[in-house]
Structure formats: structure tokens, C-alpha cells
Amino acid sequence: MAIAVIQNKALEDMDKLAKLMDSRFRIPGTDIRFGLDAIMGLVPGVGDFSSMAVSGYMLIVLMRNGASGFLLARMVFNVLLDMAVGSIPFLGDIFDVAFKANTKNMRLMKQHYTEGKHTGSAWKLILPVLLLLLAFFTLVIWGMYKLITWIF
């Protein structure tokens, strides 16, 4: 019982933090919501790093409260995608408003606890990504080889 209470308290705290980061504020006259993630992203470099640090903290708390390897891999992917695209000036800020990585991660975590989804090993997600990267690098090397043989 005590573990369930701790998990519920931790999840409530992380849910509040996700809302603060992703949807605390509303643009007047619209239904568009944004949070500190989009505001911090306006400061080049420092803002994106700070946002990633908050997302990383959330991942650590969720990991300590029973997130599976597969769930953590999906959450890390959301955070990395948010960081990568979010670091592009102007377009990244629009992406931050639309993507809401922390809210997505909390939804995944709630599904994990209430519906038993997203369980198992991270290899279900990591292996296909590694295979895609291997195929990409193989294609790049092949393309470079063809370019060099064409030139010479």
C-alpha cells in the first residue's frame, strides 16, 4: 500500500510539472496552450538545455516508480525529439507548443500504470532504431563510394 501511495504522489507531482512545462498558459482568444518549455526555448542553448534537464528529472522519477525499459525508451525518444527539433530557431518554438513531450510521457506512464501497457524490454524499440541507423550509414558509405568512383 505504501508503494502505491508513493507512486501516486510522485505521479501527481510529475503530472503537475508536465502541465507547467507544456500547457500552463493559453494564448488569449485561442485554445492554444503552451508552457515553460516553449518560453525557455526562446533563450538559445540555455533554454533548450534547461528544458531537457527538467524532462530528464521527470524520467528519473518515473523510472524510480516502476517504468519499464520499453516505456523509458519511448519517453527518452520523446525528450530527444523535443530537444532536437526544439533547438531549431523559431520553428523549434512552434514545435514545442505543438509536441508537448512531457505531457506525452505522462500519458504513457498513466497507461503503463492503469492499463498495463508499454511493458517489457527496451530492445523492442532500440533494435529497430539501431537497424535503421545501420542501414542509413551503409547507404551513406555506399553513396560516398559511388561519388568517389564517379569523380575518379
Side-chain angles (χ1 to χ4, degrees), residues 85-97:
V85 179
S87 65
I88 300 169
F90 185 67
L91 291 176
D93 299 316
I94 294 170
F95 181 79
D96 282 337
V97 171

Side-chain angles (χ1 to χ4, degrees), residues 27-106:
I27 296 174
T30 70
D31 288 332
I32 300 172
R33 301 196 68 81
F34 64 97
L36 290 181
D37 187 17
I39 295 171
M40 291 187 313
L42 294 172
V43 180
V46 176
D48 293 321
F49 179 77
S50 301
S51 178
M52 187 185 81
V54 172
S55 296
Y57 167 72
M58 290 178 68
L59 288 173
I60 290 169
V61 170
L62 295 173
M63 179 182 68
R64 290 182 180 166
N65 283 281
S68 69
F70 178 66
L71 177 62
L72 286 172
R74 288 190 63 180
M75 291 176 165
V76 166
F77 177 77
N78 286 340
V79 170
L80 291 176
L81 181 63
D82 184 47
M83 183 189 75
V85 179
S87 65
I88 300 169
F90 185 67
L91 291 176
D93 299 316
I94 294 170
F95 181 79
D96 282 337
V97 171
F99 187 65
K100 301 180 186 341
N102 298 309
T103 301
K104 285 182 186 303
N105 286 347
M106 286 309 301

Side-chain angles (χ1 to χ4, degrees), residues 134-144:
L134 178 64
F136 174 74
F137 286 122
T138 302
L139 187 61
V140 167
I141 291 170
W142 178 80
M144 290 173 58

